[in-house]
Amino acid sequence: MAYIVVLLIAILNCVVLFFFSFLAAGDGSAKGMFQVWIFGFSWIALSSLGSLVLCAEGKRSTAIGTACLTLPVGYIVALASIPVVIAFNSFKPNSPKLEAVCKDVGPRFIAKPASTVESLAYDWEPATYPPRINYFTLDARGTAQNLRSDPPRFPRSIKFTEVRCCQLEGAATNGIHPFIRRQNDGDNSASYFGVPESTADVLVKYKVSRIDPKDTKSNLESVDITVWDRRDGLLLATMRYFLDQQTHSGCGTTSEGVMDEQAFVLKAIGISDGLR
């Protein structure tokens, strides 16, 4: 009977682990979920095998207790291993590839706008995509932390912003135009609507490139940003940074230990005297 109880507990543990593993995919990536499966199911298998051995030795109560404690003990072990992994990563040297590309990064401010900027447009080549992360911090070892995708916020002097929409080029489809204009009314409920073309004073142009698409162990991307004053064609500023969300490594900061795209754009258009 004890053998059956141990096996039933093992099955229940597997079901519970399977559903809780989806919490590890909160960022939209399945990597964390797969890691939970590898560690969790292996742990359940070893614990269940140990419990069956105890049953064979006649220690039925101990066997059932061991099976019941499989997930709680595994959770404690996983929590205890987090500081060890963080410490290991902090001493792990950066990859030669990252060291090579990080020699020419960061912001470069070339000119100031001749007149006050009242609108901005964000654009990138059709069939490509903008940066998924526009804010992160770096520790002393170059480990990227606090990765965020913050919506842009501007003072009232910026009347509206525009952004490319929907990867479509040409005529509007179902009322969706190639660009979306958002009125800057100072809150999150700002009105927005489609426009057939971008007319903002300043253009912020993105170019995101995968460094080595064939390398499945690396997701290193470069992000190049140019800021143009479209009224006179003047290049105001450029910015380059690198980020690998898979290994949490990066470079190219706007201030000490911080990469803040919003701060870079503000300074480029003459609104902010210093990077925040």
Side-chain angles (χ1 to χ4, degrees):
M1 183 64 181
Y3 290 97
I4 297 176
V5 173
V6 168
L7 291 175
L8 289 175
I9 294 174
I11 293 172
L12 179 61
N13 285 336
C14 289
V15 172
V16 171
L17 177 70
F18 176 79
F19 285 104
F20 272 90
S21 67
F22 290 103
L23 297 176
D27 60 350
S29 170
K31 181 182 177 182
M33 184 173 63
F34 291 147
Q35 290 176 337
V36 170
W37 287 356
I38 292 172
F39 171 79
F41 289 129
S42 298
W43 177 258
I44 291 173
L46 288 174
S47 178
S48 299
L49 180 61
S51 297
L52 292 174
V53 170
L54 291 173
C55 284
E57 294 176 351
K59 302 176 181 179
R60 295 179 176 83
S61 298
T62 304
I64 294 174
T66 301
C68 291
L69 291 174
T70 297
L71 288 185
V73 172
Y75 181 70
I76 293 172
V77 171
L79 288 180
S81 67
I82 291 176
V84 177
V85 173
I86 293 175
F88 173 77
N89 287 332
S90 66
F91 289 103
K92 185 173 63 175
N94 292 327
S95 68
K97 183 183 298 183
L98 184 64
E99 294 285 355
V101 299
C102 286
K103 294 179 180 179
D104 182 22
V105 294
R108 186 166 67 99
F109 299 98
I110 301 168
K112 295 182 179 180
S115 57
T116 302
V117 175
E118 296 184 342
S119 55
L120 292 99
Y122 291 84
D123 197 11
W124 51 92
E125 293 299 322
T128 64
Y129 54 89
R132 297 182 177 89
I133 300 297
N134 58 19
Y135 179 95
F136 60 83
T137 59
L138 293 176
D139 64 12
R141 293 297 307 166
T143 303
Q145 302 171 332
N146 304 313
L147 278 65
R148 302 204 305 256
S149 180
D150 292 338
R153 293 179 179 273
F154 296 99
R156 291 294 183 89
S157 60
I158 300 297
K159 296 179 180 179
F160 66 86
T161 58
E162 296 169 333
V163 62
R164 177 173 289 278
C165 173
C166 315
Q167 306 296 338
L168 297 177
E169 187 173 15
T173 301
N174 295 328
I176 300 176
H177 290 75
F179 293 91
I180 295 295
R181 178 178 297 177
R182 182 180 293 273
Q183 301 299 124
N184 184 24
D185 60 5
D187 59 42
N188 292 328
S189 61
S191 60
Y192 60 92
F193 49 89
V195 292
E197 61 179 347
S198 174
T199 60
D201 294 342
V202 167
L203 173 65
V204 180
K205 191 72 177 284
Y206 295 118
K207 181 180 179 181
V208 180
S209 304
R210 180 82 177 269
I211 300 302
D212 191 352
K214 297 181 181 180
D215 187 357
T216 58
K217 295 183 179 180
S218 173
N219 194 33
L220 183 62
E221 291 183 332
S222 68
V223 178
D224 288 281
I225 308 174
T226 55
V227 182
W228 295 87
D229 192 326
R230 300 165 73 175
R231 297 167 295 182
D232 55 14
L234 189 64
L235 177 62
L236 302 179
T238 64
M239 168 77 181
R240 170 176 288 180
Y241 65 91
F242 290 86
L243 180 65
D244 188 337
Q245 295 186 59
Q246 186 166 311
T247 62
H248 278 232
S249 55
C251 60
T253 55
T254 53
S255 61
E256 186 66 30
V258 178
M259 199 300 294
D260 188 341
E261 177 199 307
Q262 171 88 353
F264 162 69
V265 173
L266 284 173
K267 185 173 182 179
I269 62 177
I271 289 180
S272 173
D273 293 331
L275 295 174
R276 58 186 172 87

